[in-house]
């Protein structure tokens, strides 16, 4: 029995039951929190494709969330309301930007890749702050949201919850399938020994570029859904600290594992909610907790749940 | 743009550059010599600023506070090295990023708890207050000139230490082949500790001298840290000379860019458009420079000698 699949299945079943369970215990306000966690998880899973499987440590991934969010916001402002049309535009925009920056960034590797993705991330961030027509630094509140085939079902509450849930489920399945395919194996081969993969005849840079673009597109989708949830968009979602949060999520969860990014993202959001509920200065605990987890829990949360199987590493 | 304004901008750029150098020097050594990514290095800058604020309040004298702050910054640096960082040297870069990220979160919050979220400021020391006449129309604050001087003195001192002393030689050797240096009987962990402590102290020093000029607030080191990383990539990792030249370059580009880009853009497109994209483009300049250097000269402009 595949333990990773079981754990993932349990998490998703649990999430699916939430809209029914929460009203019973009178905690409906947690729906928003779960949507936030799922959005973070979508972006984190996409980042794990390039960091965990590809070994390309990007510190500019949040910028693609920003691109996705702003593309959606600008689309909405210009009267496009159908969510699948917005999705297509978002995928196109993030994909195109990722393709261009990826070609340049992949000329480097290791720490230098981290720095160049940071540079592109900052460029995108400052571009977003300069969009005066769309709020500039202060951001933009959206008065109309996307519709699903003309219906407003995906605008809030349960409808939005299930829509985000579906997106997360698709991302989770999709990224895992990609990583277990021949494509994913080449990606890991290139991570562990790029020269050898190259000599075996695989165009390593092309594989890495495709992974980079896929990851960026998924992050863009997370941006689209973030706009739909928050009804607001500001450049701060693309700041480098947000990219840092995503890295925290996947390292905490366990790199390149089926559920690592998922666990990490939920851990962060729930931890924040839990700690801040009894201590306003919750970061005083959260910071040292990160340090302790790094020092003592190698392999992340995923490893605590499945200590024996080191799948896909 | 008058010549006077240009001169002021150059001086401000130089000053900003030297401040960056104080932070980047420690960062490039720790990164170059130990291969350790220390995101918490920027926090040392904040720590320095808060220390001098606290000690000035206690002692009433900026100069006494300066000395005490430097000692305290060194102690805090060594303490962090002992408690956390030394366990991370052999770990992958991602673990280092995560742990030092945790330290940033902690110290930023601690500053907020101890000193409140509002921005604080301290007065420039009396000895260096006032301004002097440089040209006909240009008066420049003495304190800013003094920070330029202090930065230059530290730069020269570091350069001599690295190039001409035994410790400096060991640091240079350690940055290229740590195993070999260790095999020759040098206590490499001790050496790392010294480098780390001095780096932390220099970043603290930058915070101390910046305190009378800028607002003291939680998280003030975060953005400067990123700029310091830009500096060491442009200069070449592990190279003190490179860090110095790149810091000055970045300081000048950033400062001049902020006023010149909008004006230059105004020549090409209409004024409202220029006002809109000018500031963003100016903030981007240093990142564009870094990206270009990574693509075309990945080792940096002035790489350390012998780095493979």
């Amino acid at each position: 029995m595949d333990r990773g699949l079981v754990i993932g299945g349990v998490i998703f079943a649990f999430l699916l039951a939430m809209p029914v369970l929460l009203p019973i215990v009178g905690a409906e306000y947690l729906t928003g929190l779960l949507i936030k966690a799922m959005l973070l998880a979508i972006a984190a899973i996409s980042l794990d494709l390039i960091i965990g499987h590809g070994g390309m440590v990007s510190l500019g991934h949040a910028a693609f969330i920003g691109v996705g969010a702003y593309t959606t916001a600008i689309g909405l402002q210009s009267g496009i309301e159908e969510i699948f049309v917005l999705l297509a535009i978002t995928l196109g925009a993030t994909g195109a930007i990722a393709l261009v920056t990826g070609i340049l960034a992949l000329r480097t590797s290791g720490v230098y890749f981290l720095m160049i993705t940071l540079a592109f991330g900052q460029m995108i961030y400052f571009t977003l702050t300069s969009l005066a027509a769309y709020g500039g630094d202060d951001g933009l509140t959206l008065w109309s949201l996307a519709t699903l085939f003309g219906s407003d079902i995906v605008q809030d509450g349960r409808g939005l919850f299930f829509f985000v849930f579906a997106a997360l489920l698709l991302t989770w399945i999709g990224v895992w399938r990609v990583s277990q395919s021949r494509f994913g194996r080449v990606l890991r081969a290139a991570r562990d020994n790029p020269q050898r993969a190259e000599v075996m005849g695989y165009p390593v840079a092309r594989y890495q570029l495709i992974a980079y673009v896929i990851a960026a597109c998924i992050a863009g989708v997370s941006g689209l859904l973030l706009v739909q949830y928050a009804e607001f968009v500001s450049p701060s979602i693309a700041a480098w600290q947000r990219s840092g949060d995503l890295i925290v999520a996947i390292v905490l969860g366990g790199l390149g594992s089926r559920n690592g990014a998922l666990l990490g993202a939920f851990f962060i959001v729930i931890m924040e909610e839990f700690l801040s509920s009894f201590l306003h200065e919750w970061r005083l605990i959260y910071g040292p907790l990160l340090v302790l987890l790094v020092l003592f829990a190698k392999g992340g949360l995923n490893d605590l749940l499945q200590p024996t199987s080191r799948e896909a590493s | 743009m008058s010549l006077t304004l240009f001169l002021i901008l150059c001086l401000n750029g130089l000053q900003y550059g030297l401040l960056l150098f104080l932070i980047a020097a420690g960062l490039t050594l720790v990164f170059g010599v130990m291969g350790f990514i220390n995101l918490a290095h920027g926090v040392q800058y904040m720590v320095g600023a808060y220390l001098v604020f606290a000690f000035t309040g206690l002692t009433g004298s900026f100069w006494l506070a300066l000395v005490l702050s430097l000692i305290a910054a060194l102690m805090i640096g060594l303490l962090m090295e002992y408690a956390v960082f030394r366990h991370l040297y052999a770990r992958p870069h991602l673990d280092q990023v995560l742990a030092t990220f945790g330290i940033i979160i902690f110290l930023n919050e601690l500053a907020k708890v101890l000193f409140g979220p509002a921005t604080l400021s301290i007065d420039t020391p009396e000895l260096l207050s006032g301004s002097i006449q440089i040209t006909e129309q240009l008066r420049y604050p003495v304190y800013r000139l003094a920070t330029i001087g202090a930065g230059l003195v530290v730069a020269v001192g570091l350069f001599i230490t690295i190039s001409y002393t035994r410790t400096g030689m060991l640091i240079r050797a350690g940055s290229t082949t740590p195993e070999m240096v260790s095999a020759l009987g040098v206590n490499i962990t001790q050496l790392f500790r010294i480098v780390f402590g001095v780096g932390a102290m220099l970043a603290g020093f930058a915070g101390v001298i910046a305190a009378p000029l800028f607002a003291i607030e939680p998280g003030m080191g975060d953005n400067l840290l990123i700029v310091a990383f830009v500096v060491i990539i442009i200069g070449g990792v592990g190279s003190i000379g490179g860090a110095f030249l790149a810091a000055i370059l970045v300081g000048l580009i950033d400062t001049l860019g902020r006023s010149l880009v909008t004006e230059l853009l105004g020549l090409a497109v209409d004024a409202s458009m220029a006002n809109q994209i000018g500031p963003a483009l100016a903030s981007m300049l240093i990142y564009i420079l870094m990206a270009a250097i990574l693509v075309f000269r990945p080792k940096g402009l002035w790489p350390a000698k012998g780095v493979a």
Side-chain angles (χ1 to χ4, degrees):
Chain A
M1 191 68 199
D2 187 342
R3 211 160 153 188
L5 191 63
V6 174
I7 294 169
V10 169
I11 296 174
F12 278 102
F14 190 67
L15 275 176
L16 204 53
M18 277 299 142
V20 184
L21 287 179
L22 288 178
I24 297 176
V25 294
E28 264 178 305
Y29 65 94
L30 286 175
T31 310
L33 186 76
L34 287 176
I35 292 179
K36 237 165 68 182
M38 290 195 288
L39 292 174
L40 185 68
I42 292 174
I45 291 174
S46 73
L47 184 62
D48 194 32
L49 179 65
I50 52 175
I51 294 189
H53 297 283
M56 299 174 273
V57 183
S58 162
L59 192 55
H61 204 59
F64 293 117
I65 301 180
V67 172
Y70 267 85
T71 315
T72 307
I74 292 169
L76 283 170
Q77 290 288 70
S78 21
I80 304 167
E81 300 212 312
E82 177 52 45
I83 200 160
F84 285 108
V85 178
L86 287 167
L87 179 65
I89 302 172
T90 299
L91 290 178
T94 41
I97 292 176
L99 190 66
V100 176
T101 57
I103 288 172
L104 292 170
L106 283 166
R107 295 175 58 126
T108 65
S109 61
V111 180
Y112 297 97
F113 183 82
L114 186 146
M115 296 309 298
I116 199 168
T117 48
L118 169 73
F120 287 129
Q122 291 291 85
M123 287 180 211
I124 291 171
Y125 171 77
F126 287 118
T127 308
L128 297 181
T129 62
S130 76
L131 297 174
Y134 300 98
D137 262 334
D138 304 325
L140 178 71
T141 303
L142 292 149
W143 302 108
S144 69
L145 291 176
T147 57
L148 180 68
F149 305 124
S151 121
D152 60 2
I153 188 161
V154 291
Q155 292 188 347
D156 53 11
R158 281 189 194 186
L160 181 61
F161 182 92
F162 286 120
F163 198 74
V164 175
F165 176 84
L168 175 61
L169 187 62
L170 281 176
T171 307
W172 181 70
I173 295 173
V175 168
W176 185 249
R177 290 295 293 267
V178 167
S179 73
Q180 295 313 99
S181 68
R182 182 173 158 281
F183 176 84
R185 282 201 290 275
V186 174
L187 210 55
R188 281 193 295 280
R191 172 194 68 189
D192 295 337
N193 194 332
Q195 282 86 9
R196 191 180 289 176
E198 191 81 50
V199 167
M200 285 171 78
Y202 295 107
V204 166
R206 200 180 306 161
Y207 276 82
Q208 291 177 328
L209 182 62
I210 293 171
Y212 185 76
V213 173
I214 293 176
C217 285
I218 299 175
V221 174
S222 146
L224 180 152
L225 295 170
L226 184 66
V227 169
Q228 190 74 353
Y229 163 67
E231 305 176 20
F232 173 74
V233 59
S234 84
S236 67
I237 57 172
W240 73 267
Q241 286 93 338
R242 299 289 80 73
S243 301
D245 291 342
L246 289 176
I247 293 184
V248 170
I250 62 171
V251 178
L252 274 186
L255 290 173
S257 56
R258 191 195 294 245
N259 299 315
L262 196 61
L263 289 169
F266 277 90
F267 178 81
I268 288 181
V269 173
I270 292 169
M271 212 57 193
E272 178 177 338
E273 180 68 17
F274 171 68
L275 290 177
S276 61
S277 67
F278 64 85
L279 183 68
H280 180 64
E281 294 82 17
W282 59 277
R283 287 189 183 84
L284 286 182
I285 301 174
Y286 181 64
L289 190 68
L290 288 185
V291 177
L292 290 176
L293 279 168
V294 172
L295 290 180
F296 299 111
K298 294 180 200 174
L301 300 170
N302 192 65
D303 236 34
L304 297 178
L305 290 177
Q306 342 170 216
T308 45
S309 75
R310 291 288 297 158
E311 42 182 336
S313 54
Chain B
M1 160 97 26
S2 67
L3 186 65
T4 314
L5 182 58
F6 184 73
L7 256 177
I8 290 185
L9 286 177
C10 283
L11 281 171
N12 283 348
L14 190 63
Q15 189 221 335
Y16 178 47
L18 285 164
L19 208 59
L20 281 176
F21 169 70
L22 290 176
I23 301 170
L27 198 63
T28 200
L29 284 180
V30 168
F31 192 12
V33 178
M34 311 182 210
F36 180 67
I37 302 189
N38 181 15
L39 292 186
H41 195 71
V43 150
Q44 281 287 337
Y45 167 79
M46 178 191 78
V47 167
Y50 273 106
L51 282 173
V52 79
F53 175 84
F55 283 128
T56 312
L58 282 178
T59 63
S61 152
F62 177 82
W63 302 106
L64 198 55
L66 173 77
V67 176
L68 290 173
S69 302
L70 286 183
I71 296 170
L74 179 67
M75 290 300 158
I76 292 172
L78 289 176
L79 180 73
M80 288 209 288
E81 202 269 351
Y82 182 77
V84 181
F85 299 150
R86 68 192 173 110
H87 304 294
L88 294 168
Y89 292 147
R91 293 291 200 87
H93 281 149
L94 264 181
D95 284 359
Q96 301 169 351
V97 167
L98 186 58
T100 50
F101 197 68
I103 291 176
I104 298 183
I105 293 173
F106 174 71
L107 286 178
N108 278 345
E109 190 70 20
L110 189 67
K112 208 182 277 179
V113 171
L114 292 179
F115 295 92
T119 61
L120 306 168
S121 62
I122 60 169
D123 296 329
T124 49
E126 206 162 319
L127 186 65
L128 299 174
S129 59
S131 55
I132 52 167
Q133 201 84 27
I134 294 184
T135 64
E136 198 73 10
Q137 295 118 20
L138 171 60
R139 292 182 70 82
Y140 200 74
V142 178
Y143 186 76
R144 282 180 177 263
L145 286 177
T147 59
I148 293 178
L152 286 175
V153 168
V154 171
V156 171
L158 262 183
F159 187 74
I160 292 174
T161 312
I162 298 278
S163 310
Y164 298 106
T165 66
R166 189 175 169 78
T167 313
M169 184 186 74
L170 290 176
I171 290 172
R172 276 181 291 138
S175 74
T176 338
T177 49
E179 300 86 0
M180 186 60 85
V181 176
S182 173
L184 289 172
V186 177
N187 186 347
I188 200 100
T189 18
Q190 189 85 39
L191 188 70
F192 282 1
R193 195 159 299 146
I194 293 171
V195 171
F196 200 94
V198 171
M201 192 172 73
L202 286 178
F205 181 59
V208 169
I209 61 173
L213 293 172
F214 307 118
I216 307 170
E217 57 188 339
M220 64 190 274
D222 292 7
N223 284 319
L224 223 51
L225 167 82
I226 293 298
V227 183
F229 266 114
V230 171
V231 164
I232 70 173
I233 294 291
I234 291 175
V237 170
S239 151
I240 282 286
F244 179 76
L245 294 172
I248 304 288
L249 186 69
V250 167
L252 286 175
I253 288 181
D254 199 58
T255 313
L256 288 174
R258 270 170 217 287
S259 1
L260 291 183
V261 167
T262 311
E263 279 193 33
L264 287 178
L265 268 179
L267 300 176
V269 294
D270 67 285
S272 67
M273 183 85 158
N275 280 332
Q276 212 184 94
I277 52 179
L281 189 61
S283 313
M284 258 185 250
L285 282 178
I286 56 170
Y287 297 105
I288 295 173
L289 178 66
M290 173 169 85
I293 279 170
L294 281 170
V295 170
F296 297 109
R297 284 197 64 162
K299 297 229 165 60
L301 290 181
W302 302 278
K305 278 183 212 139
V307 174

